[in-house]
Amino acid sequence: MILFLTSSPTGDLNGEFECEGFDNRNGFADELRQVWPENARVLVITAFPENRAANEEMYEFFGSTIETSGLSLEAIDLWDIDVLEDENYYSSESLNSYDVIILGGGHVPTQLEFFRALHLRESIQEFDGIVIGISAGSMDCADVVYAQPEEEGEAIDPDYERFAQGLGITDINILPHYQQVWDNYVDGLHLYRDITLPDSMGNSFLALPDGSYVIQLDNEAWVFGRAYSVENGKMELICRDGEDLRLY
């Protein structure tokens, strides 16, 4: 498996940087081209399984993005709530018939619940193609996911599960969209100073702005572009745009 963990691989979520096709500011598009197969069969797995309108828009967007980037595409499919009607749709055999899996962005706990219904943690372990995580999709790749509170009520809800079992295909906990959310407040609490930094005690997170990403292959992982280590209550810039750094 070749794993790409991204914040956003198609420009900035807040619209400050836009691009056609996949973003190449830190070489993401070039790195993807090097490993992309001919006549790729692509599967998009949503983070909001019941939102058909949003899923249709996402499906069309990624089909267009792949073609605009000059990548070979034979077929692209989408897994949403409808695939749960028949176990054959989401079996290990079905999953492994694809060359590329895109794990879409959205709400982390909602996507994790859908992944559990798909038994994705079990079936993805032997996948031998490319996995591209996007925002929540990158976060949910971790063995133990840190679900940074996002929606009102989550930061003060004693039952909100900040740490949960993920797909188990990386040990890296991604915090996406750093350039946009750094100064966000949730339930009157500063997202990083009051929530994330305290939660990092005894834990290690990797904060990425849009345009930065991680590649993991053969038990090695590299970060490309600006990135911050968030660990034991402290933040540190560990990589800059135009640079790369081996994580392990």
Side-chain angles (χ1 to χ4, degrees):
M1 180 190 304
I2 304 171
L3 178 61
F4 289 84
L5 301 171
T6 78
S7 178
S8 170
T10 54
D12 288 356
L13 188 67
N14 58 10
E16 289 186 1
F17 176 83
E18 297 180 356
C19 59
E20 292 187 0
F22 285 114
D23 192 345
N24 207 35
R25 278 178 291 177
N26 287 293
F28 175 80
D30 288 341
E31 293 288 344
L32 189 58
R33 286 190 188 98
Q34 290 185 37
V35 296
W36 191 274
E38 285 295 316
N39 300 317
R41 289 178 46 80
V42 177
L43 172 64
V44 180
I45 304 180
T46 183
F48 28 87
E50 298 184 24
N51 191 332
R52 287 182 170 83
N55 288 332
E56 182 64 25
E57 180 180 350
M58 179 178 63
Y59 170 81
E60 293 179 357
F61 173 78
F62 281 114
S64 175
T65 297
I66 291 167
E67 292 182 351
T68 300
S69 299
L71 300 171
S72 179
L73 179 64
E74 177 183 307
I76 181 168
D77 294 326
L78 171 73
W79 282 5
D80 61 8
I81 196 71
D82 291 340
V83 304
L84 295 179
E85 295 177 359
D86 187 338
E87 290 184 3
N88 291 322
Y89 288 153
Y90 59 92
S91 65
S92 295
E93 291 76 14
S94 176
L95 186 76
N96 283 284
S97 71
Y98 294 95
D99 304 296
V100 180
I101 298 172
I102 298 175
L103 305 174
H107 187 237
V108 170
T110 301
Q111 187 177 55
L112 280 178
E113 184 178 354
F114 186 46
F115 285 176
R116 293 187 191 107
L118 294 170
H119 305 294
L120 192 60
R121 179 181 172 97
E122 294 78 16
S123 60
I124 203 170
Q125 300 303 319
E126 302 303 320
F127 182 71
D128 195 30
I130 299 168
V131 176
I132 303 171
I134 299 173
S135 188
S138 292
M139 300 169 77
D140 288 339
C141 285
D143 184 30
V144 178
V145 175
Y146 173 58
Q148 195 178 37
E150 176 183 357
E151 298 183 352
E152 289 300 312
E154 290 179 346
I156 57 175
D157 182 357
D159 295 323
Y160 178 73
E161 196 173 14
R162 296 192 187 183
F163 294 89
Q165 186 181 68
L167 295 183
I169 55 176
T170 186
D171 292 324
I172 300 171
N173 285 103
I174 299 295
L175 302 178
H177 315 304
Y178 175 79
Q179 89 288 350
Q180 179 175 339
V181 306
W182 153 253
D183 211 27
N184 280 4
Y185 283 78
V186 182
D187 299 315
L189 301 172
H190 189 276
L191 180 60
Y192 271 80
R193 287 195 300 268
D194 300 328
I195 300 173
T196 304
L197 288 177
D199 284 347
S200 75
M201 298 304 297
N203 298 294
S204 179
F205 312 138
L206 185 69
L208 299 180
D210 296 343
S212 297
Y213 60 98
V214 170
I215 297 178
Q216 178 179 292
L217 173 65
D218 295 334
N219 298 316
E220 295 183 1
W222 297 78
V223 63
F224 295 78
R226 185 156 55 100
Y228 299 83
S229 169
V230 183
E231 187 172 3
N232 291 324
K234 298 180 180 180
M235 285 191 65
E236 178 186 1
L237 177 67
I238 60 172
C239 195
R240 292 177 169 82
D241 282 326
E243 299 178 350
D244 59 76
L245 174 71
R246 183 173 178 176
L247 300 174
Y248 53 76

